Amino acid sequence: GEQVDIYPSNYMDSPTLVLKNIFLPVDDYLEDTEYVSTDLSRKGYGFRGKTYGFVSQEQVTPCVIVYNKTMFENNGEKTPLEYYREGNWTWETFRQVAINMTQDQNNDGVTDQYGFATWLQHLFLPTAGLSDYLDQNINLTLSDPRFVKVANFVQQCGFRDKSFVRGTYDWEEYFANGMVAMIGERSSTLSTFAYKGMTDEIDFAPYPQDPENTSDVKYAAWVDGTSIVSNTVNSRAAAEFIKKYWIPALSGAQKKAREESTVWNGYTDEQKALISEILPNAYCMNSLGYQDFELNTRTLWGKIYRDGESVSTAIASMTPVLQSGIDRTLADTDKEGVTK
């Protein structure tokens, strides 16, 4: 029955739990330590100029192109990581690779191997320099030329080239069974397929880039962290507990679990270095914390890449739906607002 002071959270808890005044801002206690990253904390838990959680690098997972290296070798195709290392991992290279790896292997007129699958189509947005569905003023960015450009690219690959798996949730099954060459997911998905007993060699590369993107926004990341509950008696003590005990202990436990695993022992040194390359240019999709936002954006992408609906029509039909979720989330707060 003791007071709860801290809450293991993730970036999709913001702004919903922030607006409910469940989390306190932590800016007064935020600092770079051996475990805590100020940059990642602000990216993951920033809302209206304040930060609502502590994040360590151990709790950040970059979203990447996971690929079946064995399948690429068997097809005589250069891997995504090879393209990336030679500086040629662009949208067009990715598109051509996805086309090449989409095959009707038994010539029955039905595709039985796809180039790409994901349930997170929005991961292409940062590759064009757009960090989120919302700008800093909480306005939708669907009419932004970069969003439209990404939507047209995804439609080209998915609907016209037909190199994407059409369904939303069967990507994992397809990949595990060697029926898809690449997936867009978190780098930690490597462990998922190791535990599934997948024998093909798999690896990951960063997301391919729009060559016209010259900004520092290039990739997306998933962030977990720890927040301070707003009615804690001593917020400074809670912050010190998180920084000096909780996050170091959590990092140590995760490291020990990987070392003792008989299936997956964590990333190789090369993969760790690659993650370090990605993270400075990785951003969180904070908009996904708004009510029904993630579900409704899946509908938007389905209209675009699966159904072939014109991008402008899809955006026009889904904008009021997404805006409604934003409005309901922002209205769900007490009269004192988030500065309480």
Side-chain angles (χ1 to χ4, degrees):
E2 292 184 3
Q3 165 68 37
V4 174
D5 295 301
I6 70 171
Y7 179 82
S9 53
N10 69 63
Y11 74 97
M12 289 178 66
D13 289 322
S14 175
T16 303
L17 298 187
V18 172
L19 289 165
K20 289 178 180 291
N21 288 305
I22 292 176
F23 294 161
L24 283 178
V26 300
D27 300 272
D28 289 346
Y29 315 122
L30 197 59
E31 60 181 328
D32 286 314
T33 70
E34 180 182 354
Y35 297 97
V36 176
S37 167
T38 299
D39 177 59
L40 295 172
S41 298
R42 287 173 176 159
K43 284 178 177 177
Y45 288 87
F47 181 67
R48 288 178 170 168
K50 296 185 179 181
T51 311
Y52 291 87
F54 296 92
V55 174
S56 75
Q57 188 158 320
E58 286 281 341
Q59 294 171 283
V60 178
T61 309
C63 297
V64 295
I65 300 294
V66 178
Y67 64 91
N68 185 322
K69 187 175 181 181
T70 301
M71 187 184 294
F72 273 82
E73 291 173 350
N74 291 343
N75 282 266
E77 187 77 36
K78 193 181 297 185
T79 69
L81 188 58
E82 288 176 307
Y83 277 114
Y84 173 73
R85 291 302 186 200
E86 69 183 28
N88 191 28
W89 189 224
T90 65
W91 280 6
E92 192 51 42
T93 309
F94 165 86
R95 181 190 168 208
Q96 191 57 56
V97 168
I99 291 172
N100 294 347
M101 297 299 286
T102 300
Q103 300 171 12
D104 172 13
Q105 294 183 317
N106 58 8
N107 297 312
D108 64 353
V110 178
T111 300
D112 43 38
Q113 177 180 297
Y114 287 88
F116 184 71
T118 188
W119 59 289
L120 303 169
Q121 306 295 342
H122 61 259
L123 298 181
F124 283 101
L125 293 178
T127 70
L130 192 62
S131 62
D132 205 346
Y133 291 101
L134 301 175
D135 63 19
Q136 294 297 311
N137 296 315
I138 318 181
N139 295 315
L140 283 166
T141 59
L142 303 191
S143 60
D144 188 297
R146 292 169 295 181
F147 185 94
V148 175
K149 189 175 185 181
V150 170
N152 280 312
F153 172 70
V154 170
Q155 186 172 80
Q156 174 66 56
C157 295
F159 184 73
R160 298 193 182 93
D161 297 343
K162 303 189 186 309
S163 62
F164 287 14
V165 174
R166 307 284 285 183
T168 304
Y169 297 101
D170 46 8
W171 59 269
E172 187 174 306
E173 183 86 13
Y174 273 63
F175 191 75
N177 292 329
M179 298 169 65
V180 66
M182 303 178 289
I183 58 173
E185 248 292 356
R186 289 165 282 187
S187 59
S188 57
T189 306
L190 293 183
S191 66
T192 300
F193 297 105
Y195 281 98
K196 282 181 173 290
M198 190 173 177
T199 57
D200 285 358
E201 185 179 357
I202 59 176
D203 202 354
F204 65 83
Y207 254 70
Q209 295 293 302
D210 171 9
E212 296 181 358
N213 177 22
T214 58
S215 73
D216 69 341
V217 179
K218 297 186 184 300
Y219 310 113
W222 176 277
V223 173
D224 291 309
T226 310
S227 300
I228 300 177
V229 179
S230 60
N231 61 349
T232 185
V233 176
N234 189 333
S235 59
R236 181 173 294 280
E240 292 303 304
F241 176 80
I242 291 169
K243 290 187 291 184
K244 294 182 179 178
Y245 175 75
W246 174 256
I247 289 181
L250 180 62
S251 298
Q254 291 173 331
K255 183 174 183 290
K256 182 179 179 182
R258 286 193 294 269
E259 289 173 345
E260 295 179 350
S261 172
T262 59
V263 180
W264 189 69
N265 300 104
Y267 302 110
T268 66
D269 289 342
E270 183 182 15
Q271 289 168 342
K272 289 177 183 177
L274 186 57
I275 289 173
S276 296
E277 288 179 33
I278 294 171
L279 287 182
N281 299 108
Y283 290 77
C284 298
M285 293 281 176
N286 302 98
S287 59
L288 300 181
Y290 289 81
Q291 292 182 27
D292 300 323
F293 204 91
E294 184 197 13
L295 181 62
N296 289 326
T297 55
R298 289 194 202 179
T299 300
L300 170 64
W301 289 112
K303 288 174 176 284
I304 292 169
Y305 91 97
R306 187 183 60 243
D307 304 335
E309 189 172 298
S310 76
V311 171
S312 59
T313 299
I315 289 175
S317 66
M318 292 305 298
T319 293
V321 178
L322 292 167
Q323 187 63 53
S324 174
I326 296 168
D327 294 342
R328 282 184 284 114
T329 303
L330 294 176
D332 192 11
T333 181
D334 64 27
K335 294 180 181 179
E336 295 182 57
V338 297
T339 58
K340 180 177 179 181

